[in-house]
Amino acid sequence: MSRRLTASVLLGHYLSAFTALGAPLFLPRILADLGAPAPTWSIGALYVLPTLCTALAAPLWGRLADRHGCRLSLLRAHAGLAAGFLLAGFSPNLEVFTLALIVQGTFGGAMAASNAYLATQLDGEGLSRALNLTQYSARLAMLSGPVLVGLLASAGLGLEMYRYLAWLPVLAFVLVLPLPADAPKPPAAARDETASAELPADLLRLLAVQFLFSFAMVVTFPYFVPYGEALGIANDALIGLLYSLPHLVYLLALPWVQRRAGPLLPAGLALLALGNLLQFLRLPAELLVALRLLAGLGMLLAFVGLHRCLAARRRAGGAGRLFGWFDASGKWAGTAAGLVAGLACQHYGVAMPFLIACLAALAALAVAHPLLIGSPEIAP
């Protein structure tokens, strides 16, 4: 039953992640379909708007999930994303489209909801592996979404593609619907006695590591194309391949890495910092493949180590809040990273985000050190 449950949750998460990650790349074309010309700055603002709304709403949804059930919250996340995309697909103007993005971000959040529900059904190493797999489905969606949605765009679909993509989270909703509800909650008196133990004592440090790690990953994303061009790479397909290499490392090497023991998070953060530092130094383009693979290995090790740390701190009564805050931390990091990347490139050049990523990864390493992966606590 646990394998079938996990497979249903992961497939549903992939469908929603595919929807959410595939369309934003084509915002310039979609906004042109709305008729009124949108200012250039609005493209970047609309790109991060759903992420910002998810960051704001995730802690509230986590609290409600703990009160009313994580399965119900997961159904809400898929339905909210479908509603946002359906509204976007029928938007008559920019104002309604902006509202649709707000609905998508505020009522979506399938990553946190999926992880919280899995935490009510699994524990220990089983939960840690499931968390790795939700990231696996996110990486797979990040690679496949833009490509397949791009095919729709090249076929002449613009704004109306949102109407078709809305069916994917609807399918995810149907997959989750027959799954079992959360385990019964203890009586009110027992909940009061254990309320203080629902969230880990070192939650702030865990969230800080998640924020810095997520920031280090995302800050190099927005301007990777001009960075590749500055190295003399003129082929867009090659730049796209180089961009995707860290995610391919995660997809291909996860089964091997998650079977390994040891302090994976510190090792991953160190490799991520080194890979970004070497990319900042603008070594010859011929070495960029190796540097991207190095950064990808660091990303993979850090993810697996962080998920082990998170699984060790899971509390059945507070899973919604724990994963809500954890996801919100990553979303805030992504929003901040996009803004910082723009300012850094404008003032210091397209390589500067890699130095910033290196410093963020080192800061995450300092906050997490010394981290005992096998212990339920981060050492003070």
Side-chain angles (χ1 to χ4, degrees):
M1 175 61 185
S2 63
R3 286 189 177 182
R4 187 167 70 250
L5 180 146
T6 302
S8 296
V9 173
L10 291 174
L11 178 55
H13 176 259
Y14 170 76
L15 292 172
S16 281
F18 179 99
T19 306
L21 296 174
L25 185 63
F26 302 95
L27 266 177
R29 177 174 296 181
I30 292 166
L31 293 178
D33 286 350
L34 292 172
T40 302
W41 62 264
S42 69
I43 296 174
L46 292 174
Y47 187 91
V48 301
L49 181 58
T51 302
L52 177 61
C53 291
T54 301
L56 290 170
L60 173 62
W61 289 126
R63 183 173 294 275
L64 292 176
D66 288 336
R67 183 176 302 173
H68 301 291
C70 291
R71 174 179 165 275
L72 181 61
S73 183
L74 180 53
L75 291 170
R76 178 268 314 159
H78 292 316
L81 182 62
F85 265 67
L86 195 61
L87 180 59
F90 288 97
S91 297
N93 51 52
L94 181 58
E95 289 75 13
V96 176
F97 184 79
T98 302
L99 175 62
L101 295 182
I102 293 173
V103 171
Q104 172 191 331
T106 303
F107 295 92
M111 170 69 84
S114 297
N115 285 339
Y117 176 67
L118 288 170
T120 68
Q121 306 295 321
L122 306 170
D123 54 22
E125 186 61 25
L127 176 58
S128 176
R129 289 177 180 272
L131 298 180
N132 292 334
L133 290 173
T134 54
Q135 274 296 334
Y136 189 98
S137 66
R139 301 292 139 190
L140 185 60
M142 187 175 290
L143 288 175
S144 60
V147 174
L148 296 179
V149 174
L151 293 177
L152 293 177
S154 64
L157 293 179
L159 187 66
E160 64 270 25
M161 82 169 65
Y162 276 80
R163 304 173 197 173
Y164 300 105
L165 291 173
W167 286 101
L168 297 181
V170 170
L171 179 56
F173 182 96
V174 173
L175 286 171
V176 173
L177 196 57
L179 297 182
D182 305 15
K185 290 180 169 55
R191 288 202 304 269
D192 292 341
E193 292 175 2
T194 60
S196 62
E198 289 180 353
L199 294 176
D202 55 2
L203 177 61
L204 291 180
R205 180 176 292 194
L206 182 65
L207 296 180
V209 174
Q210 159 74 342
F211 181 94
L212 291 166
F213 170 52
S214 300
F215 184 95
M217 287 194 302
V218 176
V219 74
T220 63
F221 287 177
Y223 294 91
F224 188 80
V225 170
Y227 170 79
E229 291 172 344
L231 291 179
I233 304 173
N235 189 303
D236 285 346
L238 180 56
I239 292 178
L241 174 63
L242 292 168
Y243 170 84
S244 68
L245 280 179
H247 308 297
L248 287 175
V249 171
Y250 191 102
L251 294 175
L252 297 176
L254 174 63
W256 178 78
V257 169
Q258 69 179 359
R259 292 196 298 265
R260 298 299 182 267
L264 299 185
L265 178 57
L269 292 173
L271 289 177
L272 184 64
L274 177 61
N276 280 296
L277 177 61
L278 294 176
Q279 288 176 84
F280 166 72
L281 296 176
R282 297 197 191 190
L283 298 180
E286 293 76 13
L287 297 177
L288 193 54
V289 170
L291 300 183
R292 297 297 289 170
L293 292 174
L294 179 64
L297 179 60
M299 180 186 75
L300 170 58
L301 294 176
F303 261 129
V304 174
L306 191 58
H307 290 157
R308 288 180 182 175
C309 182
L310 183 61
R313 287 155 180 79
R314 166 255 191 191
R315 304 290 191 273
R321 281 184 291 161
L322 175 61
F323 287 98
W325 280 111
F326 190 80
D327 187 58
S329 178
K331 294 296 190 295
W332 279 115
T335 303
L339 298 175
V340 169
L343 293 174
C345 290
Q346 181 177 345
H347 295 288
Y348 302 105
V350 293
M352 181 54 66
F354 290 97
L355 178 59
I356 296 174
C358 171
L359 296 176
L362 291 176
L365 181 61
V367 173
H369 184 78
L371 178 63
L372 303 176
I373 294 298
S375 168
E377 300 293 337
I378 296 179

